[in-house]
Amino acid sequence: MNVQEYISSGIVESYVLGLASEEERKEFEQYCQQYPEVMKARTDFELVLEKQAMQNIIVPDPSLKSRIWNQIGVTGKVLPMVEPVPVRKMSWIKYVAAASVILLIVSLYWNISLFNKNQELKNNYDLASEKIKEMEHDKQVLQQNPHVKMASLKGMEASPQSFATVYWDTASHDVYLLANNLPVPPTDKQYQLWALLDGQPIDLGMLDYYVKQKKLLVRMKNAQKAQAFAITLEKKDRSDVSKPQGDMYVMGNL
Amino acid sequence: MNLNTTYSEQELVDLLQHRNEKAFTYLYDNYSGALLGIVNAIVTDKETANDVLQNVFINIWRRIESYDPSKGRLFTWMLNIARNAAIDEVRSKGYNNSQKNVPFPESNEIAGAVTGTDITDVGLKKILGNLKGELRVLVDMSYFQGFTHEEISKALNLPLGTVKTRIRTALIQLRTMIQ
């Protein structure tokens, strides 16, 4: 038998993941005893899988542990027992012991909450990177379209660090806004995108604050003609939305 | 929470096989999250996933004597118990109402069901999303839904040998993605 060929046939992964047939299992277990390379390949993959699983944990319901312990009838005492000590002579030990138990409990609690927090952050991070991936994809599609023009909108006096990008399809007139960096608006205000033509603003729609969007890339109203684009921050209950009244945050030419 | 004790794998197995409660606590504290990760990839409902995990640990405690270190690491053994328990749950009657169920769907339905990327997927299931169409369907059906190669062969109208080689190809690709 060619051991290397056998190892790289996918049998190792298939066995470890529990997808091998009964016959394949028996054969694999026999080869593991016979060839140290096969055994090593198995352990290597097991460790890869274990590491992967340990990086993708989901914290169980906190009540689950006691439910399990009740069912299997173990006491589940995690904290070390504090032995009763003769009180008169060594009463200080009691306080030390009590204090250390309290410390231990506090530290356990601290650990658990940090752990949960960490998990939450990680989940948020995963979600965010997924969104970014999606956005990158949309961006790529847009960038590959020969009709699409791009305008980088740079921060104005009101918010110099702001930055946004507009993709305008000159064939279909579709407008997409990528809010790269816009500050969180006050709750009574919202951003509005404008196309500028001969100095005149044309309303291209309001931007629901972008973190609420599943995609960071937002489709706006179509623009027939434009020389530049700009975003202003406007009051939400404004009666006439066809003219900008608030501060201009970003602007850029095509 | 593991404060200061760590066990080597062999120590842990010895202690567990002697019904050492502290070792079992250690096992739960260190591995429950990872096992719930795999259960949750199969049983998407969180509450049900926790119930499944409860049975998984009870099974680990009761069946620890049958664990044979020569056949694989302890974690692999637990992972397979967790995966099987989750698949059983999905296939059991109680889970039929709204979720994927026992009767085999048409092959085009299966392909459709797994092509959309669900952004809440984590872990292996998420990596699965990087596999190309058919390979992804094959791994999803065999690993996450627990169909045998024979069942898949019938459902997708592919020769059994093809199903087997393609699943292996997919697993090799998955492995490189994990690493």
Side-chain angles (χ1 to χ4, degrees), chain A residues 170-181:
Chain A
T170 51
S172 67
H173 305 296
D174 289 344
V175 173
Y176 294 88
L177 174 65
L178 175 62
N180 304 74
N181 180 23

Side-chain angles (χ1 to χ4, degrees), chain A residues 13 42 46 61 65 67, chain B residues 29 50-51 73 76 175:
Chain A
E13 293 77 7
R42 187 194 77 194
E46 290 187 280
D61 191 302
K65 192 169 175 178
R67 268 154 61 194
Chain B
D29 290 344
N50 272 281
D51 290 344
R73 290 172 56 79
T76 308
R175 179 191 185 145

